[in-house]
Amino acid sequence: MQKCIITIFSLLYSLLKYGETACYYSSNACPQVEKDFLNVHIVPHSHDDVGWLKTVEQYYYGANNSIQNAGVQYIYDSVLEELWKDSEKKFVSVEMEFFSHWWKEQSSHMKRKTHKVVERGQLEFVGGGWCMNDEAAASYVDIVDQMTLGLKFLNDTFGGCAAPKAVWQIDPFGHSREQASIFAQMGFEYLFLGRIDYQDKASRLSNREMEMTWVASDSLNTSIFTGVLYNTYSPPPGFCFDVLCGDETIVDDPDSPMFNIDRRSKQLVAYILEQSKHYRTNNIIITMGEDFHYQNAHTWYKNLDKLIKYINKVYLSSNIRVFYSTPSCYGEAVKNAFVEALPRKTDDFFPYASDPHAYWTGYFTSRPTFKGLVRHSSNLLRACKQIQAMTVKRHSNVLFQFQRSQAIAQHHDAVTGTAKQHVNNDYLLRLDQGIRSCTKIFSESFNHLLSLNGSTMRQEYCTMLNISQCWTTEQNAPFIVTLYNTVSLRSSHTVRIPVADGSYAVTDHEGRLVASQMVPIAEAVLRLPGRNSTATNELVFTAEDLPPLGLRSYHVQTPEGKPGKRMLRSRSRTIDLPNEKDVTVSAYGLSLTFDRQTGHLIQVGNEMFKQQLLFYRGMSGNNSRFEFRASGAYIFRPNGTEAFPLQPVTKLTTIFGPIVTEIRQHFSANTMQIFRLHRNASYIELDWILGPIPIEDGIGKEYISRFTVPAIRNNGTFYTDSNGREVLERQLNHQTTYKLNITEPTAGNFYPVNSFAYVEDKLTKMRMTVLNDRAQGVSSLLPGSLEFMIHRRLLHDDAFGVGEALNETAYGVGLAARGTHWLMLGNAGTVARFLAQRMVHPPILMFAPTTFSAEEFRQSYRMELALINRDLPPNVNLLTLEPWDDEGRVLVRFEHFYGVGEDERFSHPVTISLKGLFPTLKIQTVEEVNLAANRHIRTLNADELVLNPMEIRTLIVST
């Protein structure tokens, strides 16, 4: 009874505070459509990039207008004033990064007015994520997180009244099937796209298939209404009334010598009638806006008012009706008007080409080090949220700022690598600040969780481990390394710690000496620009069976006057090329053979195999015509179809040891590949170090790593993940939904890959799988091959707006990059899914100097601790564990990461229980919500939760 009274009181308070609560979900929020009329939905909008030519803050405040005249704060100021004055007017808002910034600066009076226009359906939030994320290079983990962040802000601010029904993905450069599935799982009903391939669009216009049902998951059977906008997202030509435009204004005074409304209305009606020929209902949508429009909204609305009034009066007999509308109102009108089934789509919208020589496949790889950082910071953020959820159970501003930075990085000009250099620097700075703040949480939480007597350690997160640099491990002995396993399964991990030369002893949580190996740091790493380190070796050991969602510390010391027990030095050998015979290296049941002349890998076990580093020459051009298109940040356009070898391999170095064995290919002083075999591992690790890419010849270059198994007859078919989740089949020179005339045979066959790709021989079942550590482009241009684009350096802009060549430098020279591929041969489908989880979510390493001996440290600190009481099933991932609010509620997502029919053992429903799972959470109630966590589904019994293949279930747990 008391709960009921509180609920009624809350409802009354909401009514008193905000007045009318009709909300735009109710029928009277949308304009009435007429059955026998052509209903023209005018949708005013502004496309506001969360960074591109200017930084996020510059765009918001309207700073640095010498680059671009854009100030988002003025857009909301101006638009809200117009909406308040006229209840018929509408506007669309997308990016919560900007709206939330504007909102926090408003007075209580302005906030009440904004609530009113939201409740009346005038200000419609579409998408509602923190940004309009990219769909090729963004991981599904980051997509879900950034959408959740924005939608939570909307829900906390406006309640269910503002929950979007439509998504407005008008500017991403191609569209993924997984993204559509995510939107469907979040409860969206309508998805609108701006950019699709020019041939696809022509076909759809001709066949009146601009609107469709997109079936976005083979396993979940999710689907969503999808509409392709007629003019990308721009106004009809000649009808841009923004202060940034120069189009002819509307003059409706018949006494004026400039009177033109009759002529201008005829032009617009002609456009409307032409557009209507390509859609199947009596509804069409006309977008009125462009990038950063409506800073002076009055100029837009005044001209549109005149046109709407005049057309509705003069063309009444022509059964044309024009009115302000929104994407969700349009979607509802189309849905209600359809009497026949919509066309179905089951594939995706990649690759996207805007003309015969502009395939937007270069951005799949552009700025590879930033893409690597985004993947890296995603795992750190995941860990930071887990730790906070299991300790303080409250959301913090530190965590929010990191979430915000990671969300901004998903913007379709951020993770894509298509922003100006100074903007990319800002993205980097934001992520760096988030990482540093997060590691402070690690340090404080680890001390809290592990200290037995209140003592603390000064712990460091080494941000430069990727170049084998860490001050704590280089300058201190003894020291502690603590690993945090972010996955919900026991996991083993090879630890590599940069150290000075010497002998070391590694002691585990039970006081046992752990076998370790001293491996010399590769010469190409030692020479990386910007490296400032005294370390010449890496101390390598295996952390076996790390507890699920758990911590384990190791004590590392230098024994005085004697070699470290159980530490072995690597045996190395250098082989100059050409050699008398092929070089075969065998270790741990695997063998690799390298050609005596070229030094290339030519055999894996008994299987003929080839791996090469190659490059395409980037096309130069002035972009004045399609055929003069240059390769740039967006566009991959090689000058010809031939890929050229890098400098020849000059020598091979073999490094043998009990834990890892390496074969190093030396190409030049700055380019090297390291093939690494691990004890008790079935895959081959390929560590590549590239750059600076030479441009002294005046030619930009695009580097690829090509893997080939001649025995695999894949007939031009290969497979890629979609945003790291479900797998899609790709076919060379083919599209499922339209007849493809491919004019760029190399660039037009590249696809995005976030996690892994494979080729397979259908007859022999032989499969080659390659996992990647960051978003890249991939193709299979030759039989039995996969080629991953891994680095790009170009000397010309491609004329799609960024205005700069993709010529990254660092430390005064061209950018160097380092990354990893994991290679598997055989029917490795099951293993690939598990390894993908390991690659994406490696343990977090923290380091601390200590004066304690190993035994003294064990007396003062717990050296192992699990934050869940049991392993989850092997096909289940604890996708999310984060503080949800200040009331002790926790957001939890469980993910089944196998698809239907993908594996005989793991592609089946699985049951888990929350009961007793989290030792620090005393669960009171469990509410199941949609994927975005903004819509209630049901209250659950915590004892049993069933996950079907590829299903994600989202819970809000009260503690």
Side-chain angles (χ1 to χ4, degrees), residues 16 139 218 313 565 598 651 679 681 712 762 772 779 949:
L16 289 170
S139 159
D218 296 331
K313 179 181 178 181
K565 294 181 179 179
T598 65
K651 60 182 177 179
R679 181 177 293 279
I712 293 179
K762 294 293 186 182
N772 52 317
S779 189

Side-chain angles (χ1 to χ4, degrees), residues 135 174-181 191 193 196-197 200 204 209 212-218 222 224 226 343-351 720 722-723 727-731 734-740 751:
E135 301 188 29
H175 302 279
S176 79
R177 194 175 73 161
E178 186 61 35
Q179 178 84 68
S181 179
L191 168 60
L193 312 178
I196 67 169
D197 184 271
D200 190 3
R204 291 184 179 281
E209 294 184 343
M212 69 211 80
T213 297
W214 193 351
V215 181
S217 171
D218 296 331
T222 51
I224 188 168
T226 302
R344 288 166 60 88
K345 181 176 179 64
T346 57
D347 56 342
D348 63 8
F349 288 96
F350 288 117
T720 69
S722 180
N723 301 108
V727 173
L728 290 177
E729 180 182 292
R730 311 297 191 181
Q731 182 69 42
H734 175 76
Q735 287 290 338
T736 303
T737 54
Y738 61 97
K739 185 177 180 180
L740 178 65
Y751 290 84

Side-chain angles (χ1 to χ4, degrees), residues 44-46 48 60 71-96 98-125 153-154 157-158 293-301:
H45 78 101
S46 177
D48 302 333
Y60 177 77
V72 179
Q73 61 174 333
Y74 308 125
I75 295 172
Y76 282 113
D77 288 344
S78 183
V79 166
L80 265 295
E81 192 62 32
E82 294 295 315
L83 298 183
W84 183 251
K85 289 188 297 186
D86 182 357
S87 62
E88 295 296 317
K89 289 183 170 60
K90 309 280 189 182
F91 191 74
V92 166
S93 176
V94 183
E95 301 87 0
M96 292 306 101
F98 288 134
F99 182 79
S100 66
H101 197 156
W102 179 85
W103 177 259
K104 73 180 180 181
E105 296 177 346
Q106 303 310 303
S107 65
S108 57
H109 174 67
M110 191 65 215
K111 288 181 177 180
R112 284 194 296 272
K113 291 174 70 173
T114 306
H115 267 278
K116 193 75 170 181
V117 298
V118 170
E119 290 160 6
R120 294 193 305 220
Q122 291 180 263
L123 177 62
E124 175 165 309
F125 297 102
F153 164 78
L154 278 179
T157 305
F158 298 104
H293 280 194
Y294 289 80
Q295 292 182 79
N296 182 352
H298 186 66
T299 64
W300 263 110
Y301 286 116

Side-chain angles (χ1 to χ4, degrees), residues 567-581:
M567 191 204 86
L568 294 176
R569 290 190 173 274
S570 304
R571 295 177 289 109
S572 64
R573 176 189 173 206
T574 298
I575 304 164
D576 292 321
L577 299 177
N579 192 42
E580 292 181 357
K581 58 182 180 179

Side-chain angles (χ1 to χ4, degrees), residues 721-864:
D721 68 74
S722 180
N723 301 108
R725 253 174 84 74
E726 294 199 52
V727 173
L728 290 177
E729 180 182 292
R730 311 297 191 181
Q731 182 69 42
L732 285 181
N733 305 317
H734 175 76
Q735 287 290 338
T736 303
T737 54
Y738 61 97
K739 185 177 180 180
L740 178 65
N741 175 27
I742 195 155
T743 48
E744 292 288 339
T746 301
N749 281 299
F750 265 73
Y751 290 84
V753 58
N754 268 267
S755 188
F756 64 89
Y758 66 87
V759 288
E760 185 176 51
D761 190 311
K762 294 293 186 182
L763 293 177
T764 65
K765 306 300 181 184
M766 180 68 176
R767 179 184 292 188
M768 174 179 67
T769 306
V770 180
L771 289 82
N772 52 317
D773 67 345
R774 69 201 68 192
Q776 293 170 333
V778 69
S779 189
S780 177
L781 297 173
L782 299 176
S785 75
L786 286 171
E787 59 182 67
F788 289 75
M789 186 180 290
I790 56 179
H791 200 357
R792 315 179 73 217
R793 190 181 186 188
L794 300 162
L795 304 180
H796 298 270
D797 179 41
D798 51 23
F800 282 104
V802 73
E804 293 179 354
L806 186 68
N807 184 9
E808 288 188 278
T809 60
Y811 306 102
V813 296
L815 181 73
R818 186 181 188 184
T820 301
H821 288 116
W822 290 357
L823 166 70
M824 291 176 293
L825 294 180
N827 192 347
T830 298
V831 179
R833 283 290 188 188
F834 291 129
L835 286 180
Q837 290 290 325
R838 283 183 53 188
M839 177 172 265
V840 173
H841 304 301
I844 308 300
L845 274 62
M846 296 290 287
F847 301 93
T850 185
T851 58
F852 289 146
S853 67
E855 186 56 34
E856 289 170 337
F857 187 82
R858 288 183 66 222
Q859 299 303 315
S860 299
Y861 291 90
R862 296 182 186 89
M863 292 185 69
E864 183 172 279

Side-chain angles (χ1 to χ4, degrees), residues 94-96 125-135 139-155 164-169 178-179 182-184 186-188 191 403 406-408 410 882 884 891 893 930-935:
V94 183
E95 301 87 0
M96 292 306 101
F125 297 102
V126 287
W130 207 251
C131 68
M132 185 185 296
N133 67 261
D134 171 59
E135 301 188 29
S139 159
Y140 77 98
V141 176
D142 293 326
I143 293 171
V144 170
D145 280 355
Q146 80 87 15
M147 288 298 300
T148 302
L149 188 66
L151 291 169
K152 185 177 191 301
F153 164 78
L154 278 179
N155 197 58
K165 296 172 69 175
V167 193
W168 197 242
Q169 289 291 101
E178 186 61 35
Q179 178 84 68
I182 287 170
F183 285 146
M186 289 181 169
F188 290 103
L191 168 60
Q403 288 177 296
Q406 187 69 16
I408 288 170
Q410 308 316 309
E882 68 177 82
W884 187 238
L891 180 68
R893 290 189 182 97
N930 68 336
L931 183 59
N934 67 334
R935 290 187 174 108

